[in-house]
Amino acid sequence: MTREPPSPAEGGGKAEAPQNIWPDALRAARLLAADPHGFGGAVVRAGRGPVRERWLDDLRAMLPPGTPWRRLPPGIGDDSLLGGLDLAATLAAGRPVARAGLLAEADGGLIVVPMAERLPPGIAARLSAALDTGTAAEHPARFGLVLLDEGEGDEIVADALADRLAFRLDMSGVGIADCEAPAVAADTNPGPPETDPLGSLCRLADALGVASLRGPILAARVARALAAEGPIGTDAITAAARLVLAPRATRLPTPEEVTSEETEAPPPPPAEDGPTEDATDPAPADAAEDRVLEAVRAAIPANLLDQLLAGGVRLSAAKAGRVGQPAAARTGRPIGSRRGDPRRGRLDLLATLRAAAPWQPLRRVAGETRPIVVRRDDLRIRVLRQRTETTTVFCVDASGSAALERLAEAKGAVELLLAEAYVRRDRVALVAFRGAGAELILPPTRSLTRAKRGLSGLPGGGGTPLAAGIDAALKVALGVRRSGSRPVIVLLTDGRANVARSGEGSRARAGAEALQAARALRAAGLPALVIDTGARGEGARAVADAMAARYLMLPRADAGLLSAAVRAAL
């Protein structure tokens, strides 16, 4: 029987002390300095301060002399990142002048990315492609990344990029005094040799819930580097699992999970005349794997343990700016011009000529044949105001309690909000929950007639599966965000949940699941508005607090107040 993992209060899943985190961080730095591209890089979660700068200085000091070290500037364009035509130099020379991008300049070295949790998806995709191929615009670009994660709460680096990096270091709880620990010496004793090191790492990855194959592959590279030219031993396996697999864990393992394959297989029958030795006894191997697993469990971050034990939701992608829209828009209404690079915007030709015209007498020298001499400082690009389409997802409580109290008024409030969304030419979607589950009444649409028809035909009655309703609205909103639109959720409910996700009528369980669903919506970073339809009010206050949403009681909400609340939630 598989034993339950102990709680943090009982000592299980105890996080490492800061003085143990710093030596692991230095070991990861030494490995990364030896082979930046082979290990991909590291995600360093720490705020600005002396601890992070100390680690970066140590990492740079470990690099061989002359190794490229670059910082990725915010808002970098494709031409500067991948390389391309140098427009200003081309205009000045009168012939095409090419330049290499930042990725090619960092070939063989490291690129430091500040505020990596806010990296635009397009830049993250280009970095991932360069890590996979080792090239950028047909130039060699074999580099490593140091992603500085400065996010607060649930802000994280995009998983698609972080999955390609071997190390994830959480130094948010490390103080400058912990950095005075002695430097980690080179690993010369890998421990007793392992008969199947790759199999051990794969079993550990499975026990920790690491689904991506890059986890055990990168852990095997780390183990091979720690073992140097010798056989891979138990200590090397333990260190590789601590550095690579533990930060990727998605569930709490138990020793029985790793050794289940060995224990399920029946032992071979002993020979009739042979000696009864313990050479084939799997107990020593099982004990060694148990020790490795316990060492890896101790390296799992404390915040991850809290999320796993609480059933929390981890984000799968980071957002760039507001709900992932690109930082530099190339479409929209012109509202002026500014100095800039035309490769990162639309060239304003008239403004460029006006800026260059006063300087023509000074720029005309002997032998100058060009009618107009344009310099880099003369280039102007248009400033465009782009409006992102918004999709309002209405999640309406159609249960019996709502039907008896305020369902008719809730429908009227939704119609007012629908009309407001129609005027803004935004899309709307409608989710209703009642009985044992939730239903998508209206997919995202701009048709006000269809929305009103779906709302008028909405029946009332049954239990209140609030968690199922929030889950359905979250699913619709995430789909809207993936399509490039901007979602906002408007939840109308009295907050009195009495049906769990399984359909069982348990008020306590239903309330707990509703708060958990609300926290998942908050973790997804979606703006929300909770309108309390209860007769007394305050019934949905806890749900609004859990999802960090604006709270409004329907008895005090008129058409203007509802519209203003939705605009504020956007």
Side-chain angles (χ1 to χ4, degrees):
M1 183 177 66
T2 302
R3 58 184 173 90
E4 293 293 331
S7 64
E10 299 170 344
K14 184 178 179 180
E16 284 189 296
Q19 59 268 23
N20 296 330
I21 297 175
W22 182 251
D24 281 349
L26 290 181
R27 174 180 287 178
R30 190 185 69 251
L31 293 169
L32 182 58
D35 188 3
H37 185 261
F39 295 117
V43 180
V44 182
R45 186 171 180 85
R48 295 184 179 182
V51 174
R52 193 180 76 179
E53 296 303 318
R54 172 75 173 271
W55 186 84
L56 290 174
D57 292 342
D58 290 345
L59 171 61
R60 192 167 188 178
M62 295 175 186
L63 293 171
T67 302
W69 178 278
R70 300 287 187 273
R71 293 184 78 92
L72 187 74
I76 188 173
D78 287 348
D79 56 311
S80 300
L81 184 70
L82 304 175
L85 189 68
D86 192 331
L87 183 59
T90 298
L91 292 174
R95 58 180 177 81
V97 178
R99 66 170 178 175
L102 184 141
L103 300 185
E105 294 175 354
D107 182 39
L110 287 168
I111 299 177
V112 180
V113 184
M115 297 178 62
E117 76 282 357
R118 297 182 180 271
L119 198 64
I123 301 298
R126 286 159 179 78
L127 292 175
S128 301
L131 288 174
D132 291 341
T133 63
T135 60
E138 300 182 355
H139 295 285
R142 296 175 59 84
F143 58 87
L145 288 175
V146 178
L147 304 182
L148 303 181
D149 184 0
E150 305 172 12
E152 298 180 357
D154 297 311
E155 291 181 321
I156 62 171
V157 177
D159 278 350
L161 184 57
D163 189 42
R164 290 167 165 81
L165 312 186
F167 309 110
R168 303 184 186 186
L169 308 175
D170 188 352
M171 296 188 290
S172 54
V174 179
I176 189 61
D178 302 317
C179 303
E180 303 302 327
V184 180
D187 297 271
T188 57
N189 181 21
E194 281 275 344
T195 58
D196 184 17
L198 186 57
S200 298
L201 289 172
C202 289
R203 287 191 293 272
L204 285 171
D206 179 67
L208 294 168
V210 180
S212 174
L213 290 177
R214 290 192 180 94
I217 290 174
L218 291 171
R221 292 180 184 175
V222 170
R224 167 50 59 195
L226 293 175
E229 299 298 330
I232 299 177
T234 304
D235 293 346
I237 293 291
T238 303
R242 282 169 54 87
L243 293 174
V244 181
L245 298 180
R248 288 172 160 81
T250 60
R251 62 190 179 98
L252 293 174
T254 58
E256 287 84 350
E257 296 177 0
V258 182
T259 60
S260 59
E261 297 181 2
E262 288 83 351
T263 57
E264 290 176 1
E272 295 181 358
D273 299 328
T276 58
E277 296 182 356
D278 295 336
T280 59
D281 187 5
D286 294 351
E289 290 198 351
D290 289 353
R291 290 195 299 270
V292 172
L293 186 58
E294 289 301 324
V296 175
R297 281 171 56 91
I300 298 178
N303 57 348
L304 176 60
L305 289 176
D306 294 339
Q307 292 179 7
L308 295 175
L309 292 174
V313 178
R314 301 179 69 195
L315 294 182
S316 60
K319 302 174 288 299
R322 297 188 66 184
V323 298
Q325 76 177 31
R330 292 181 177 268
T331 59
R333 181 170 60 88
I335 59 174
S337 62
R338 63 176 177 86
R339 181 181 299 174
D341 191 338
R343 291 165 297 184
R344 298 173 58 186
R346 296 173 59 181
L347 176 66
D348 192 334
L349 182 59
L350 292 179
T352 299
L353 294 177
R354 290 194 191 99
W359 305 99
Q360 297 307 305
L362 298 177
R363 295 175 181 174
R364 294 188 180 280
V365 297
E368 180 59 61
T369 59
R370 290 175 291 175
I372 300 178
V373 181
V374 179
R375 302 280 178 84
R376 183 190 300 269
D377 293 340
D378 301 329
L379 298 177
R380 299 293 186 271
I381 60 175
R382 292 181 178 178
V383 178
L384 303 176
R385 175 174 295 172
Q386 184 185 37
R387 183 182 177 277
T388 304
E389 179 187 66
T390 300
T391 300
T392 305
V393 182
F394 294 100
C395 186
V396 181
D397 184 353
S399 62
S401 60
L404 291 175
E405 294 179 357
R406 310 301 302 276
L407 182 58
E409 295 184 22
K411 289 182 178 180
V414 172
E415 288 193 8
L416 293 175
L417 297 175
L418 287 173
E420 181 72 18
Y422 179 78
V423 171
R424 297 193 304 266
R425 301 303 299 166
D426 290 334
R427 296 192 302 170
V428 295
L430 180 60
V431 173
F433 56 95
R434 58 185 290 269
E439 180 184 3
L440 178 61
I441 303 297
L442 182 69
T445 180
R446 289 191 181 92
S447 174
L448 182 60
T449 303
R450 287 183 58 194
K452 288 187 175 181
R453 187 183 304 119
L455 189 64
S456 61
L458 179 63
T464 307
L466 183 54
I470 298 176
D471 290 341
L474 176 60
K475 181 179 180 180
V476 174
L478 291 177
V480 167
R481 187 164 68 181
R482 285 192 296 267
S483 67
S485 185
R486 189 174 164 191
V488 60
I489 296 177
V490 179
L491 173 64
L492 293 93
T493 181
D494 57 7
R496 293 186 289 181
N498 54 22
V499 177
R501 288 189 176 102
S502 61
E504 300 177 1
S506 172
R507 188 176 297 275
R509 182 178 175 185
E513 290 184 353
L515 294 178
Q516 183 185 22
R519 287 191 292 269
L521 191 148
R522 178 181 182 177
L526 296 171
L529 168 67
V530 175
I531 300 178
D532 195 338
T533 61
R536 300 180 180 179
E538 299 293 332
R541 171 75 72 176
V543 177
D545 293 340
M547 65 175 60
R550 181 170 180 178
Y551 176 79
L552 191 65
M553 288 188 293
L554 185 60
R556 302 179 183 177
D558 56 11
L561 187 57
L562 286 173
S563 300
V566 173
R567 285 195 297 269
L570 298 179

